[in-house]
Amino acid sequence: MRERSCPAVRRPSRAPPGDGIQAFVPAPPAPFISRFASCTVTVIDRCMRAVASGAALAEVDPDLSDHEVALIARDALEVAEAGDIGERDLEGSDWLLSAVAEARFKRSHDLRGRGDADRAKAAWDGGALALEEIAASSNRSPALVYEDIFFEAAQSLARRGDKLALVRQIECLAEELTHTTENNVRMELRDLALFYLELGEHRRGLELLAETLRHAPADPWAYNVIALRLPRLGLPSLGKLAAERGLELVRRGRDPERLSDRLRDLLREAGTAEDRSDAPVDALQDLRDALHTHFDVEGSASPEELARRLVPELGTARVKQLPAMPTPEVLAEVAERLRRVLPPKPVTSAWADLRAVTRGRMVPPRRGPKVGRNDPCPCGSGKKYKKCCAGKTALVTS
């Protein structure tokens, strides 16, 4: 059975970390909210107040068990009492470590803005290390969505050439299959394929891309991702073919996310450059064949069946679990400490709750025309807005 997720917020969209991350500092003492959060500020505040007052925890929210409410309140208290988050050692709950990561990313952004590139890189690496600690722990927080944490940890490892990135992305896929209610399995498989390619395991990466594409040949984002990434991995001819096929697909009227302009740009960028890869010839041909799959022919297996067939390591992949319910004695101590740190009035942050539609990614108000979550990102990355700049702003406490 899939575990229930926190209310109000669905799975966050993927936004790989980059220099553009900024930070908002809400007026204290609002609860900390991570860009990886599965709950809004108001939900976390309600959990804290329920434990502090001794109210019936199961009545806090219909989508949360008393176990989850107790853990959210305890973890939120840990952050509230933590002091200078950015200077803390990497010990504590996943929720605390997510706060450490956000604080270090904010510091990196501030230092880079002041021209201190070396210290900015060190702070950024510290935030990435905090995410890796979260990914490596066995317990999970009910207030976090873990797929993006695993992905960003894997991305940092892959940039260093560390094949532990593959383990983390497989754990990300296991997390998706075990704990979430939204089906992003094909996206996770594509990311895993690209990590294999980036780390030099060309055959495995190409095979995963080909099989995932055959399973859903009418997904325009698959062609967009392949057209965007393969030229950077030394395979411009396949990137060009993917852009051509993607354009052919959207010309058939299947362009709800208006990808045609971006695909045309990718086609021009691919140009006539020659491939510079030592990938196996037969695996390259298999992906070419997959790119020519008829758009109306889809695989009969479910995404979960596809993933378990293509990634047998899922059978032994570690999956994080909730820690035990705090004992009555521990809850009584937590309640007493919460009464000392909670503000007099409940947090009812309309700004934060309205941002729940961004699936946990807190973003600032925007000027100009609204960008839909499924529209191409205005930054020109080639990704959906929800998978790119919708997550470029993290919300942290001072």
Side-chain angles (χ1 to χ4, degrees):
M1 176 177 290
R2 291 183 184 272
E3 182 178 283
R4 290 173 297 177
S5 58
C6 287
V9 182
R10 295 182 295 166
R11 184 193 191 281
S13 51
R14 174 153 300 161
D19 294 342
I21 282 189
Q22 304 173 17
F24 273 83
V25 182
F32 162 82
I33 187 78
S34 166
R35 63 196 172 96
F36 302 109
S38 64
C39 299
T40 63
V41 174
T42 304
V43 170
I44 295 172
D45 184 74
R46 286 207 305 264
C47 293
M48 297 169 75
R49 292 182 186 280
V51 172
S53 65
L57 302 187
E59 297 177 5
V60 171
D61 192 283
D63 290 324
L64 290 173
S65 67
D66 56 350
H67 184 185
E68 292 168 324
V69 170
L71 293 175
I72 289 171
R74 186 186 67 181
D75 291 351
L77 172 66
E78 185 182 19
V79 173
E81 296 178 334
D84 188 349
I85 291 289
E87 297 298 326
R88 284 189 62 91
D89 293 334
L90 297 181
E91 296 180 355
S93 68
D94 285 1
W95 187 246
L96 176 62
L97 290 174
S98 74
V100 172
E102 300 286 33
R104 292 180 179 181
F105 290 143
K106 177 185 183 298
R107 180 180 301 166
S108 174
H109 175 77
D110 293 344
L111 289 167
R112 192 172 298 278
R114 297 199 293 268
D116 194 342
D118 291 340
R119 291 177 63 201
K121 182 180 183 304
W124 187 269
D125 291 344
L129 185 59
L131 293 184
E132 172 59 21
E133 286 293 317
I134 297 173
S137 73
S138 58
N139 289 333
R140 63 184 284 112
S141 165
L144 288 173
V145 179
Y146 281 91
E147 295 92 304
D148 280 13
I149 293 175
F150 277 112
F151 171 78
E152 294 195 10
Q155 191 173 59
S156 295
L157 290 163
R159 286 171 177 164
R160 302 197 299 268
D162 190 336
K163 291 195 175 183
L164 182 59
L166 302 173
V167 176
R168 291 289 174 256
Q169 184 60 22
I170 290 171
E171 289 172 343
C172 173
L173 185 54
E175 187 75 22
E176 177 80 42
L177 292 171
T178 306
H179 288 300
T180 62
T181 56
E182 289 198 1
N183 197 329
N184 294 280
V185 171
R186 286 195 296 266
M187 182 181 77
E188 310 295 1
L189 284 171
R190 282 198 298 268
D191 288 334
L192 178 59
L194 292 167
F195 281 132
Y196 273 116
L197 289 170
E198 187 174 345
L199 291 167
E201 297 195 24
H202 299 113
R203 181 176 294 280
R204 185 80 187 273
L206 292 168
E207 287 174 351
L208 277 174
L209 272 184
E211 289 301 313
T212 305
L213 191 60
R214 287 190 178 100
H215 187 264
D219 177 4
W221 281 98
Y223 301 96
N224 180 76
V225 169
I226 294 172
L228 178 69
R229 295 293 301 278
L230 288 197
R232 301 176 185 180
L233 295 170
L235 294 167
S237 66
L238 283 171
K240 182 177 181 179
L241 176 57
E244 291 170 344
R245 289 290 287 166
L247 282 169
E248 184 180 344
L249 174 62
V250 299
R251 288 189 191 112
R252 297 178 55 169
R254 301 180 184 183
D255 191 17
E257 289 121 351
R258 302 196 297 276
L259 277 174
S260 53
D261 290 344
R262 182 56 182 159
L263 286 165
R264 278 192 286 269
D265 289 342
L266 291 170
L267 185 59
R268 283 193 296 270
E269 291 168 11
T272 58
E274 295 183 359
D275 290 347
R276 295 172 289 100
S277 172
D278 56 359
V281 174
D282 60 327
L284 291 170
Q285 184 59 49
D286 185 48
L287 180 55
R288 287 192 185 92
D289 294 343
L291 284 165
H292 283 103
T293 301
H294 195 282
F295 298 130
D296 295 327
V297 178
E298 293 193 354
S300 59
S302 69
E304 180 171 351
E305 290 169 339
L306 177 73
R308 296 197 181 281
R309 176 171 65 83
L310 296 179
V311 189
E313 296 92 336
L314 283 170
T316 56
R318 178 180 57 89
V319 177
K320 293 164 74 76
Q321 303 293 339
L322 292 178
M325 174 76 172
T327 65
E329 294 77 16
V330 169
L331 274 182
E333 179 191 351
V334 168
E336 182 180 349
R337 289 158 56 196
L338 280 169
R339 287 191 287 270
R340 293 198 292 265
V341 301
L342 278 169
K345 295 182 179 180
V347 174
T348 55
S349 173
W351 185 87
D353 282 345
L354 285 173
R355 292 305 177 274
V357 297
T358 67
R359 301 185 180 182
R361 299 254 185 211
M362 300 301 156
V363 297
R366 295 181 177 271
R367 297 178 181 270
K370 180 179 177 181
V371 180
R373 284 176 49 73
N374 288 316
D375 292 344
C377 188
C379 76
S381 68
K383 301 178 182 179
K384 292 185 183 182
Y385 171 66
K386 69 181 182 181
K387 296 181 181 176
C388 192
C389 290
K392 288 289 180 72
T393 302
L395 189 68
V396 297
T397 57
S398 57

